[in-house]
């Protein structure tokens, strides 16, 4: 039997049973769609992340109390988190290769402005050591060592939190627990593209001196939350990290602390991304298995319905091979058509995720071909058993059946 | 010329532990141009014999020579090829495929043989014309009358121009008028030189045949030859 004749016979069957054909292919459609979405979103996330990391400071080390964890729940450790003080600042500054140490302490606070409240993150800093922040002032001025009730705010705090814009010269009140302090805004920072990788988004943060921070927090013992350590040479960053971890032991033998670099964060992020990718791949694989079972079911049903027809075909001289090829092709064709529909839907979903959820996606021809390959493969595998059943039918039995 | 030669053909079914002999030694020769009626009560083994003659089934023992070829030991693929090229089947229940057109039904054996599309379409139309149902070519077989269906089935049986036609109660589901039409076509084909083997319960239509064979209990009871008028 010639190929186009077989295809002709198959397409007649599809047309006659449009609804059944569609229902049977749904699983494959969804599976292929999941694969295409997975590959597109995965690709998009990877390229998005790596483009952000090309602008990331590779010469910065974050030293934090406790154990570093990214994305997941905070890492647990049996030790108390380290309590960082000026002693540690000195120690870090004396490590060879370190150019700058910027201690920071942050807290979630409530801002009061013209009788309305909003929440934001307040960060206590050493103005001298925040060379990076200093360059980001767009209005007013940056803090100085002698400032006490002066505050510098991020662009998102200035614009968007309150009905009215906060400008340099405005007074705001900051509440922390039972305490409050009044500040005068002296500067507004430039809007930064959010990187999502930094410890915090500077657009929604506000900065005051450690002196003011200590007063506001009302703590007898004021500790630093983190050190941003800048090194002279980005190439030496790992050495410095090791040295920091070693040296801090002197003051914090039984306490937990950690030092991380942008590259550490990148690899943590990448492991999260690959987890997401595997999860999506799992969904795709499961739908393909379920879809394959669906196809196998429908093919079995089709073979059962057509037992007599298969008997007739055999009586007329169809070989077992003819019948087997016909039903394998029927499954395969169903798979190819479903896969193409799945690819189209997958592209649509990827675009929708990109524009609605802000998830970057990159659609590549390889993703589509992978979807097609797996979709077609799973249907052909699903078709093997029904096709064999059809091919092995005894023509006499088949002709006798009702 | 001898087209079919059966020698001590036996068929035994095994059901559980029991052996059920259905054919108990059949000897039969069929000559080219014979129009043979096979009669007998149900359970006499005539269907099984037809299936063996039609190469749908293989005997348990015995020798079956079809067109100078021993087919009792042929493989399933070889049997399929013989059915396709040498034998035309006509069934009591017509056995047309309902989801494809009358024309496609007639084309089917030629499709299986790999005859090019245009050639087989032309032949299919020609065959439908010869049995008087060309006007139904694009109909579904489900939407035509019983007599028309059997004529389409005859056209399909002739598609690959077989030497032998096997008809299993071809008029069993037909009214008197259609029965006559179908039998006229069959005897026309026989006059052209085709060998026809027909199972029937209807003694009326044996008048078209030149030989009648009666079976009982897995054996041939008697053979009579009729001189055709």
């Amino acid at each position: 039997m010639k190929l186009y004749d077989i295809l002709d016979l198959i397409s007649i069957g599809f047309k006659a049973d449009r609804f059944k054909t569609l229902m049977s292919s749904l699983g494959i459609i969804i599976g292929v769609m999941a694969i295409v979405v997975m590959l597109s979103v995965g690709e998009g996330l990877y390229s998005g992340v790596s483009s952000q990391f090309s602008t990331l400071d590779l010469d910065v080390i974050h030293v934090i109390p406790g154990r570093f964890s990214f994305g997941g729940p905070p890492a647990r450790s049996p030790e108390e988190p380290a309590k960082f003080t000026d002693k540690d600042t000195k120690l870090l500054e004396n490590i060879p290769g370190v150019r700058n140490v910027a201690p920071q302490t942050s807290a979630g606070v409530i801002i009061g402005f013209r009788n309305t409240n909003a929440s934001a993150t307040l960060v206590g800093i050493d103005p001298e050591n925040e060379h990076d922040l200093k360059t980001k002032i767009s209005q007013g001025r940056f803090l100085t060592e002698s400032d006490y009730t002066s505050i510098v705010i991020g662009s998102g705090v200035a614009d968007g939190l309150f009905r009215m814009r906060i400008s340099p010269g405005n007074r705001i009140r900051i509440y922390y627990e039972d305490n409050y302090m009044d500040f005068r805004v002296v500067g507004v920072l430039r809007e930064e593209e959010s990187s999502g990788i930094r410890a915090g988004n500077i657009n929604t943060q506000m900065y005051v001196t450690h002196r003011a921070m200590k007063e506001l927090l009302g703590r007898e013992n004021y500790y630093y939350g983190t050190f941003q350590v800048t090194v002279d040479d980005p190439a030496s960053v790992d050495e410095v990290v090791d040295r920091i971890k070693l040296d801090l032991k002197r003051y914090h033998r039984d306490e937990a602390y950690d030092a991380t670099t942008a590259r550490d964060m990148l690899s943590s992020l990448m492991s999260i991304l690959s987890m997401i990718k595997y999860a999506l791949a799992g969904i795709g694989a499961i739908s393909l298995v379920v879809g394959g079972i669906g196809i196998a079911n429908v093919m079995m049903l089709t073979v059962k319905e057509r037992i007599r027809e298969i008997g007739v075909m055999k009586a007329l001289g169809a070989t077992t091979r003819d019948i087997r090829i016909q039903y394998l092709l029927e499954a395969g064709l169903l798979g190819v058509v479903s896969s193409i529909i799945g690819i189209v839907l997958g592209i649509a979903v990827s675009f929708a995720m990109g524009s609605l959820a802000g998830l970057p996606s990159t659609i590549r021809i390889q993703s589509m071909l992978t979807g097609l390959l797996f979709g077609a493969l799973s249907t052909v595998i699903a078709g093997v058993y029904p096709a064999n059943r059809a091919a092995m039918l005894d023509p006499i039995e088949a002709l006798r059946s009702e | 010329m001898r087209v079919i030669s059966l020698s001590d053909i036996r068929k035994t079914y095994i059901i559980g532990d029991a052996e059920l002999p259905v054919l108990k030694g059949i000897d039969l020769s069929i000559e080219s141009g014979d129009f043979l009626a096979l009669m007998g009560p149900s359970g006499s083994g005539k269907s099984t014999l037809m299936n063996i003659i039609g190469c749908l089934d293989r005997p348990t023992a015995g020798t079956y020579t079809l067109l100078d070829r021993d087919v009792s030991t042929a493989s399933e693929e070889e049997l399929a090829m013989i059915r396709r090229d040498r034998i035309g089947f006509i069934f009591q229940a017509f056995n047309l495929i309902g989801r494809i057109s009358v024309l496609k039904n007639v084309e089917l054996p030629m499709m299986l043989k790999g005859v090019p599309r245009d050639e087989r379409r032309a032949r299919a139309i020609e065959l439908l014309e010869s049995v008087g149902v060309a006007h139904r070519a694009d109909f579904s077989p489900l939407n035509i009358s019983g007599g028309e269906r059997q004529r389409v089935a005859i056209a399909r049986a002739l598609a690959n121009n077989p030497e032998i036609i096997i008809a299993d109660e071809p008029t069993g589901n037909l009214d008197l008028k259609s029965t006559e039409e179908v039998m006229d076509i069959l005897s026309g084909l026989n006059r052209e030189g085709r060998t026809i083997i027909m199972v029937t319960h209807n003694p009326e239509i044996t008048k078209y045949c030149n030989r009648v064979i009666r079976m009982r209990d897995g054996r041939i009871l008697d053979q009579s030859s009729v001189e055709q008028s």
Side-chain angles (χ1 to χ4, degrees), chain A residues 27-225:
Chain A
I28 298 295
I29 293 176
I30 293 170
V32 170
M33 188 182 81
I35 287 182
V36 171
V37 171
M38 160 198 90
L39 292 173
S40 303
V41 171
E43 195 65 45
L45 283 176
Y46 266 91
S47 57
V49 164
S50 39
S51 76
Q52 275 178 351
F53 268 82
S54 63
T55 66
L56 199 92
D57 321 303
L58 291 171
D59 54 353
V60 173
I61 300 165
H62 290 265
V63 181
I64 57 159
R67 290 266 173 260
F68 174 69
S69 85
F70 191 85
R76 293 248 174 170
S77 80
E79 302 109 332
E80 282 282 302
K83 299 184 172 75
F84 291 136
T85 62
D86 280 326
K87 274 205 306 193
D88 299 296
T89 316
K90 291 266 151 36
L91 179 139
L92 294 173
E93 277 169 349
N94 287 329
I95 289 173
V98 168
R99 190 194 328 166
N100 184 50
V101 178
Q104 296 190 340
T105 301
S106 55
V109 297
I110 305 288
I111 323 166
F113 180 58
R114 309 221 164 147
N115 299 324
T116 34
N117 294 333
S119 57
T121 306
L122 185 68
V123 185
I125 55 166
D126 256 343
E128 292 287 281
N129 294 324
E130 298 288 349
H131 306 287
D132 191 39
L133 276 178
K134 204 177 277 179
T135 65
K136 295 199 165 82
I137 284 288
S138 74
Q139 268 187 294
R141 64 171 177 85
F142 195 60
L143 298 171
T144 65
E145 283 299 303
S146 56
D147 276 321
Y148 181 55
T149 60
S150 304
I151 190 166
V152 166
I153 61 177
S155 64
V157 178
D159 215 356
L161 272 191
F162 296 95
R163 209 173 315 136
M164 286 184 61
R165 213 187 119 78
I166 306 176
S167 305
N170 285 141
R171 290 186 173 278
I172 59 177
R173 181 166 285 186
I174 305 265
Y175 300 88
Y176 178 80
E177 291 176 355
D178 297 333
N179 219 347
Y180 71 84
M181 266 177 89
D182 287 325
F183 290 92
R184 196 170 60 87
V185 177
V186 295
V188 177
L189 295 172
R190 186 170 76 219
E191 186 174 344
E192 283 283 290
E193 236 176 272
S194 67
S195 77
I197 292 146
R198 288 166 195 279
N201 178 353
I202 73 161
N203 293 331
T204 61
Q205 289 184 342
M206 309 180 293
Y207 300 90
V208 295
T209 57
H210 281 299
R211 207 145 55 89
M213 193 70 182
K214 184 179 177 188
E215 176 68 23
L216 180 69
L217 298 187
R219 284 184 192 148
E220 213 45 48
N221 302 310
Y222 179 79
Y223 304 115
Y224 296 130

Side-chain angles (χ1 to χ4, degrees), chain B residues 6-20:
Chain B
L6 300 172
S7 156
D8 196 25
I9 291 290
R10 289 166 190 276
K11 182 74 182 179
T12 305
Y13 290 107
I14 296 172
I15 300 162
D17 291 336
E19 286 193 352
L20 181 69

Side-chain angles (χ1 to χ4, degrees), chain B residues 38-225:
Chain B
L38 193 57
M39 299 186 74
S42 49
S44 60
K46 60 186 190 308
S47 291
T48 305
L49 182 59
M50 285 292 273
N51 287 335
I52 288 172
I53 293 174
C55 292
L56 285 166
D57 203 353
R58 273 179 288 204
T60 314
T63 313
Y64 173 18
T65 312
L66 172 72
L67 298 161
D68 294 328
R69 195 172 157 204
D70 182 6
V71 293
S72 21
T73 54
S75 75
E76 230 170 279
E77 302 294 301
E78 286 170 320
L79 290 180
M81 233 81 97
I82 292 167
R83 292 197 296 270
R84 189 186 71 191
D85 301 340
R86 296 307 188 64
I87 302 171
F89 284 94
I90 300 165
F91 304 94
Q92 178 179 10
F94 320 127
N95 280 337
L96 299 173
I97 295 172
R99 63 195 183 91
I100 61 177
S101 69
V102 160
L103 186 67
K104 276 244 156 61
N105 266 278
V106 180
E107 282 184 50
L108 208 49
M110 294 184 274
M111 271 193 198
L112 291 169
K113 198 178 180 177
V115 177
R117 190 189 293 249
D118 292 341
E119 190 185 326
R120 66 167 194 247
R121 188 143 298 173
R123 172 151 176 84
I125 290 168
E126 195 180 295
L127 286 167
L128 285 171
E129 272 166 3
S130 74
V131 294
V133 284
H135 59 295
R136 298 295 198 211
D138 295 326
F139 277 58
S140 157
L142 305 173
N143 297 331
I144 60 176
S145 75
E148 286 171 331
R149 284 185 203 180
Q150 200 57 302
R151 282 187 277 162
V152 172
I154 294 172
R156 183 176 68 182
L158 294 173
N160 286 332
N161 200 18
E163 289 98 331
I164 299 159
I165 288 173
I166 290 184
D168 190 357
E169 299 195 44
T171 60
N173 283 354
L174 299 181
D175 59 25
L176 209 61
K177 185 170 163 286
S178 300
T179 298
E180 266 179 24
E181 283 169 4
V182 163
M183 289 315 297
D184 283 341
I185 292 170
L186 287 181
S187 58
L189 293 172
N190 178 236
R191 274 196 300 276
E192 284 171 16
R194 281 180 232 267
T195 309
I196 302 178
I197 302 149
M198 176 177 73
V199 168
T200 184
H201 278 120
N202 182 356
E204 280 286 302
I205 63 171
T206 57
K207 68 182 179 198
Y208 294 91
C209 305
N210 69 331
R211 290 175 69 190
V212 177
I213 287 168
R214 282 169 219 284
M215 285 186 69
R216 176 158 293 168
D217 196 24
R219 289 194 175 88
I220 289 175
L221 208 61
D222 72 302
Q223 306 190 24
S224 62
S225 288

